[in-house]
Amino acid sequence: MRQILLSAAALAAMLAAGAALAQTDPVTARKEGLKRMQANLEAIGNVAKDGGDTREVAPRAEEMVTFFRGFPALFPQGSDGNGSRALPAVWSDRDGFERASANAVTAAEALRTAAASGDAAATGAAVRNMGGTCGACHRNYRGR
Ligand code: HEC
């Protein structure tokens, strides 16, 4: 009996450790993701500026669509510590924050369409529009 209890405790500890490993903290997850989104935006912008084949970078726009669809979920209640620059408004003005996220999704979808079409000028315009939605959210929801 004692043996069984011990192994149940050991199993619980192993499960907890596994869950902690599998689930990065949300602040790290969103920062890493946002750095990657910035790299995506720059890469697409460079191809567009050079008049290159924007179809090759369309998957980066696709990644942005997916990322921003899941963006609000990366800001759970209480995830304002741990070096986060997120302003309290992320949680106190949740509707506005979700609207700003939705605007980024819409812009990323337009960027994906433009990139997939191979039209470098249209892609350049879509990159600028996308960048506008990044800045609009940062103004209200990101501190310095
Ligand atoms: C809906 C709001 C929102 C949108 C849209 C948004 N951001 Fe941000 N961004 C934030 C917030 C909030 C933070 C601060 C996150 C933190 O420190 O917890 C942030 C932080 C960042 C950071 C700093 C990451 C770090 O390592 O500290 C980068 C880079 C960044 N954003 C790039 C972008 C780019 C590029 C876009 C558009 C393609 C974008 N963001 C769109 C809200 C947004």
Side-chain angles (χ1 to χ4, degrees):
M1 189 59 195
R2 188 173 154 76
Q3 200 85 39
I4 293 168
L5 283 176
L6 275 177
S7 40
L11 182 62
M14 280 164 58
L15 286 173
L21 277 180
Q23 198 179 33
T24 342
D25 98 276
V27 178
T28 306
R30 66 204 187 209
K31 282 184 174 180
E32 292 306 311
L34 283 161
K35 277 188 275 192
R36 182 154 172 86
M37 294 312 115
Q38 175 143 350
N40 283 339
L41 192 61
E42 282 170 10
I44 299 168
N46 285 336
V47 173
K49 189 155 49 99
D50 296 345
D53 187 353
T54 59
R55 289 170 301 184
E56 285 173 8
V57 286
R60 287 180 176 270
E62 176 69 36
E63 199 187 301
M64 298 179 82
V65 171
T66 304
F67 179 79
F68 283 109
R69 277 189 185 143
F71 196 59
L74 296 176
F75 291 82
Q77 279 288 348
S79 65
D80 55 345
N82 203 11
S84 171
R85 283 200 284 157
L87 291 176
V90 167
W91 295 278
S92 64
D93 175 24
R94 194 66 177 183
D95 286 355
F97 182 69
E98 291 190 357
R99 260 196 313 277
S101 296
N103 289 342
V105 172
T106 304
E109 286 168 346
L111 179 58
R112 176 182 61 187
T113 302
S117 79
D119 183 333
T123 302
V127 164
R128 285 188 291 281
N129 189 44
M130 176 88 243
T133 69
C134 313
C137 186
H138 292 161
R139 268 195 297 285
N140 293 323
Y141 301 101
R142 184 179 74 172
R144 291 171 187 280

